[in-house]
Amino acid sequence: MALPFLAAKTNDAAQRRPFSLAARAALTTGLVLAAFLGAIGWTLSRTYAASELNKLQDRLHDNVISYITGTDVRRDGKPLMPDTPPDPMFARPGSGLYAVVLGNDFHWESSSALGRDFSFLHQLEPGQSQFVGPVDTELGRLYYYSFGVALDVPDHDPVRLTFTVAQTEDELEGNTAVYRRSLVGWLATLGVMLIVLQLMLLYWSLTPLRKVANDMSRVERGDTDHLDSQYPIELTALTERINAFIDSEREQRTRYRNTLADLAHSLKTPLAVIRSQLESSSDISVTARLPVLDQVRRMDELVAYQLARAATTGRQTFASAVPVAGYAEDLVQSLEKVYAAKNVLCEFDIEDGAAFYGEQGDLLELMGNLLENAFKWAGHHVLLVVKVLPQAGRQRPGLLMSVEDDGPGIDEHKVEKVLQRGVRGDERVQGHGIGLSIVQDIVRAYRGELTVDRSEEFGGARFSVMLPPN
């Protein structure tokens, strides 16, 4: 029944479908938010690192000043370093905080710096300062601050010394790492909160669009006639135009059907009069009457076929749901009376909720012709099966309708011929031979498919109509 093909086409279309408005807004907002928070994090991290570096420089400077103020010079010009360091770490070997004093003939190191190589240091001019780091040394990466001074000595030349305090970068990097971890945690939390808030705002902002889509689905399913909700001013013009389009389409269909009905009445009445006159007139010979009656009959068949074909509405975007079960019972009751002499039993297998999305006249024409054809050819049994064909992503499900009988059936090589207009399976069977052709036209108008094969249950013919979801 071509269902796998339709499913494959639907899957391909779903794969190629662009992102929804909500997905686009969420993705764009997420990317912008990630970039924004990343920039903030990078800026704050750099700012904090610079602040910590300035604090380190200030601490090293303060330690240098403490050493300078605590240093005395003897009369012979030899410096006397303070007994108590400004920080206990200077007295602990390998603590990571070191002090070194360099002079012309003087070299002093704090207890923490004993045995360490500070050959990379050099003297500075009095009043000159220097902050350097990080420097790769055997002690690790160091930051150091140096300050040159000239200490006055009575009756002696000034003593020129360079005070240096150095510290490893472990403490600086440790503080920075802790700050970065805390910063990342807070920014991540803030980002999640902002994304959730943004999704809530998007959901609220797009609610009118979802309402329009839901109302359109209700119109397509036939649950309502118009988009009748209240919408924001930005959507009001759109929904009013959609309602106007729906009204215009329905009015046009009504005018079209009325015009066809008038045309049918205008054509069939004169033809009926002509036939009646020919059949009742005794002035016209039988030889002359029969060809004219035959042409009148052909004209009547042609008018009936073309009007039925033109009246077929076909697939509609805004169609009401026509329940199948009730109309099927009415049709079968009528046909059982017409073919009462054959004592035909018609069974139903109609799924609950089965509905035809289109014009009621199209359903009656479609189902009526199939059932009448089955009643004509059946021995005693006819089966009507109607199934719903739901499909994900479609507003309206498809419909599978099949009519089976226990008649002689149709040979495979005769199927195409039987479906042609004006062709009857057996000339002895009364009819115009246009019923199945009308069925085929209706099925095509609804983009469906008509197949003819043999009934597995009764052995006769089985006509199956598949109308796809839409």
Side-chain angles (χ1 to χ4, degrees):
M1 301 299 290
L3 287 177
F5 173 71
L6 289 174
K9 289 177 63 178
T10 303
N11 291 335
D12 292 341
Q15 292 176 359
R16 296 191 299 268
R17 185 176 300 169
F19 288 123
S20 65
L21 293 177
R24 289 170 182 263
L27 180 61
T28 303
T29 303
L31 293 176
V32 172
L33 184 60
F36 179 71
L37 292 179
I40 290 179
W42 180 82
T43 303
L44 292 178
S45 178
R46 292 292 300 270
T47 303
Y48 180 81
S51 175
E52 286 296 304
L53 190 61
N54 289 333
K55 290 180 180 179
L56 175 61
Q57 182 178 355
D58 292 340
R59 288 198 302 272
L60 297 180
H61 174 268
D62 292 342
N63 287 325
V64 166
I65 297 301
S66 296
Y67 269 110
I68 292 174
T69 56
T71 300
D72 290 329
V73 181
R74 297 189 307 187
R75 291 184 177 274
D76 59 359
K78 184 177 181 179
L80 295 175
M81 303 304 299
D83 296 331
T84 303
D87 192 308
M89 293 180 65
F90 287 107
R92 190 168 64 247
S95 64
L97 185 62
Y98 313 105
V100 178
V101 180
L102 298 177
N104 292 333
D105 297 317
F106 183 79
H107 182 91
W108 178 88
E109 296 177 351
S110 63
S111 299
S112 60
L114 294 176
R116 303 300 196 271
D117 181 16
F118 288 94
S119 58
F120 56 88
L121 298 177
H122 59 275
Q123 287 187 266
L124 301 179
E125 295 294 327
Q128 184 179 359
S129 63
Q130 186 180 49
F131 178 71
V132 180
V135 176
D136 292 320
T137 68
E138 65 173 13
L139 306 175
R141 293 169 63 84
L142 293 177
Y143 289 91
Y144 65 88
Y145 179 82
S146 299
F147 190 79
V149 297
L151 301 179
D152 294 331
V153 180
D155 303 327
H156 201 281
D157 293 335
V159 178
R160 299 175 60 181
L161 298 175
T162 299
F163 289 81
T164 300
V165 175
Q167 182 175 334
T168 58
E169 68 173 356
D170 295 342
E171 182 180 355
L172 177 66
E173 290 299 319
N175 293 339
T176 304
V178 171
Y179 176 80
R180 285 174 179 169
R181 286 194 298 270
S182 177
L183 179 64
V184 169
W186 282 108
L187 288 179
T189 303
L190 179 61
V192 171
M193 294 175 59
L194 289 176
I195 289 176
V196 172
L197 179 61
Q198 182 64 29
L199 291 177
M200 294 173 61
L201 291 175
L202 281 174
Y203 183 85
W204 178 77
S205 300
L206 296 178
T207 297
L209 290 178
R210 285 193 299 273
K211 190 169 183 61
V212 172
N214 292 335
D215 290 347
M216 285 291 295
S217 299
R218 293 177 61 234
V219 173
E220 290 179 1
R221 291 194 303 267
D223 298 337
T224 184
D225 294 333
H226 294 90
L227 303 177
D228 52 5
S229 300
Q230 296 294 325
Y231 307 104
I233 188 172
E234 294 83 359
L235 297 178
T236 300
L238 173 64
T239 54
E240 288 178 350
R241 284 172 172 80
I242 292 176
N243 283 333
F245 174 74
I246 295 173
D247 291 337
S248 175
E249 184 190 37
R250 289 172 177 166
E251 291 174 1
Q252 186 176 5
R253 287 204 310 270
T254 302
R255 289 195 303 269
Y256 187 53
R257 286 197 300 269
N258 293 338
T259 302
L260 290 176
D262 294 342
L263 179 60
H265 179 75
S266 301
L267 292 176
K268 294 182 83 61
T269 299
L271 288 174
V273 172
I274 293 174
R275 176 182 291 179
S276 176
Q277 291 294 326
L278 288 173
E279 291 177 347
S280 62
S281 176
S282 58
D283 297 335
I284 304 176
S285 64
V286 175
T287 305
R289 184 189 306 159
L290 290 179
V292 176
L293 282 174
D294 183 62
Q295 293 302 317
V296 170
R297 179 184 62 81
R298 290 180 179 274
M299 291 172 63
D300 194 20
E301 293 176 0
L302 182 61
V303 168
Y305 170 73
Q306 294 296 344
L307 288 177
R309 182 181 180 186
T312 301
T313 306
R315 179 179 179 272
Q316 305 170 39
T317 303
F318 309 106
S320 300
V322 182
V324 176
Y327 292 104
E329 292 177 359
D330 294 340
L331 286 172
V332 170
Q333 288 177 1
S334 300
L335 290 172
E336 285 178 343
K337 294 178 181 178
V338 175
Y339 295 91
K342 299 183 67 174
N343 193 25
V344 176
L345 173 64
C346 182
E347 300 179 7
F348 292 155
D349 183 10
I350 302 177
E351 186 173 343
D352 293 339
F356 175 81
Y357 291 91
E359 287 294 324
Q360 173 185 328
D362 291 344
L363 173 62
L364 294 176
E365 195 75 33
L366 175 64
M367 191 162 51
N369 278 301
L370 290 177
L371 287 172
E372 184 178 8
N373 182 75
F375 269 79
K376 284 180 182 179
W377 291 96
H380 295 288
H381 290 91
V382 172
L383 174 63
L384 171 63
V385 179
V386 181
K387 300 291 183 183
V388 178
L389 303 176
Q391 184 171 325
R394 297 292 185 178
Q395 296 293 338
R396 298 181 292 194
L399 194 69
L400 175 63
M401 179 187 302
S402 66
V403 179
E404 308 176 30
D405 61 67
D406 60 349
I410 303 175
D411 294 335
E412 186 176 350
H413 66 279
K414 292 183 179 180
V415 171
E416 184 175 354
K417 180 180 179 182
V418 169
L419 295 179
Q420 293 177 3
R421 182 179 64 85
V423 176
R424 298 197 296 269
D426 191 337
E427 294 296 332
R428 295 171 295 178
V429 179
Q430 184 178 4
H432 293 162
I434 64 173
L436 294 180
S437 181
I438 292 174
V439 168
Q440 196 169 29
D441 287 339
I442 294 175
V443 171
R444 287 174 179 170
Y446 283 85
R447 303 178 185 175
E449 182 178 355
L450 171 65
T451 58
V452 183
D453 56 6
R454 190 166 292 276
S455 170
E456 297 178 358
E457 183 174 354
F458 299 125
R462 177 171 62 183
F463 289 81
S464 301
V465 172
M466 193 282 293
L467 303 178
N470 54 73

